[in-house]
Amino acid sequence: MRDRIKEYEEVAKAAEKFVKSVAEGNSEYAKTLFTEDAVLFGILNGTVERGSIEQFYHNIDTVGAGTEFKARIDVLAVEETVAVVRVLEEGWGGTIDFTDFLLLLKLGGEWKCVAKAYNQNSDTVNHKNIDDKALCINRGAQPHLSTYLYIARAFWKSANLLKS
């Protein structure tokens, strides 16, 4: 069942912690959003990142957002205890654009992020450091929905929620 608009606003407010951390280069805000066992999946400059959300915290704390950094939060769905948020980022670190998908659960009355999957926009990939076989999307093309489904499936499989 779709929730009321007030709940969408609460989810957006939670996601603002993510954006604030990235914008300020300080993971402390994000640490209040993510659960301790939250996971990360994505491809950065052709290299797959996956595992603990600690990698994201490290990235935030070591790479400043840059003066041109911009972000937009879109709450895509809220269904009672689960929400999906898309965050568009432009100019992270001065050069990289991302599309992030955050999966949130309402735990103890509070929206907490349990997973982050992202796509680095292909026109901001540092092609000098990429093995063409590792690149999962076509350069210059908008990522296909199957890319996001692949990442989601990998998450569920790693969490032992999906069998083969």
Side-chain angles (χ1 to χ4, degrees), residues 58-79:
H58 173 76
N59 291 345
I60 290 174
D61 292 334
T62 57
V63 179
T67 57
E68 302 298 316
F69 177 76
K70 294 179 187 160
R72 173 191 167 111
I73 296 170
D74 295 314
V75 178
L76 303 179
V78 180
E79 300 288 333

Side-chain angles (χ1 to χ4, degrees), residues 134-145:
L135 189 59
C136 295
I137 59 174
N138 294 326
R139 292 183 186 138
Q142 195 67 355
H144 190 273
L145 179 59

Side-chain angles (χ1 to χ4, degrees), residues 17-105:
K17 296 174 186 179
F18 172 88
V19 171
K20 187 170 183 171
S21 271
V22 174
E24 295 182 14
N26 180 351
S27 66
E28 292 307 311
Y29 307 109
K31 288 178 180 177
T32 66
L33 171 65
F34 289 91
T35 61
E36 287 183 20
D37 56 349
V39 294
L40 163 90
F41 286 92
I43 301 169
L44 179 61
N45 288 326
T47 302
V48 175
E49 283 190 320
R50 64 174 162 225
S52 167
I53 199 65
E54 292 294 327
Q55 178 62 43
F56 174 61
Y57 299 152
H58 173 76
N59 291 345
I60 290 174
D61 292 334
T62 57
V63 179
T67 57
E68 302 298 316
F69 177 76
K70 294 179 187 160
R72 173 191 167 111
I73 296 170
D74 295 314
V75 178
L76 303 179
V78 180
E79 300 288 333
E80 298 178 356
T81 61
V82 67
V84 179
V85 175
R86 177 180 65 188
V87 180
L88 304 177
E89 296 179 63
E90 291 181 357
W92 182 72
T95 60
I96 301 174
D97 297 345
F98 289 106
T99 301
D100 300 287
F101 289 93
L102 307 177
L103 180 61
L104 290 84
L105 293 178

